[in-house]
Amino acid sequence: MSEGSRDDMTMEDIMRMWPTTIRVLLDHGMLCVGCPFARFQTVNDAIREHRIDGDRFRKELYAVIGSNTAGTS
């Protein structure tokens, strides 16, 4: 799955598939854990809603996801 296609995943799906991403969200001041909107908000929606640096956030988020999927088939 490419990084661009993950931009359309919901925050809830990302946290469920890669729990270690929660630290990145918290580091950016995002309180997606337990938020009812997490099931609907995509990465792009969350970036826009929280008015954070999207490039920096994506870089950190996808680095964590990549480190958790390395070596898996």
Side-chain angles (χ1 to χ4, degrees):
M1 178 181 292
S2 71
E3 289 179 2
S5 64
R6 290 188 187 118
D7 284 351
D8 292 328
M9 291 181 71
T10 66
M11 298 307 293
E12 181 177 79
D13 288 342
I14 287 172
M15 290 184 292
R16 184 175 293 133
M17 291 179 73
W18 300 284
T20 54
T21 60
I22 293 169
R23 171 54 34 206
V24 175
L25 303 178
L26 294 174
D27 288 347
H28 284 268
M30 301 168 78
L31 303 175
C32 297
V33 178
C35 176
F37 294 109
R39 68 183 348 174
F40 305 107
Q41 278 191 330
T42 65
V43 172
N44 289 328
D45 293 336
I47 289 168
R48 198 171 32 256
E49 182 69 26
H50 292 278
R51 297 182 179 135
I52 60 172
D53 180 338
D55 292 335
R56 182 174 156 231
F57 176 72
R58 283 186 192 92
K59 180 180 178 182
E60 293 174 20
L61 183 72
Y62 299 143
V64 170
I65 289 172
S67 70
N68 285 309
T69 58
T72 61
S73 43

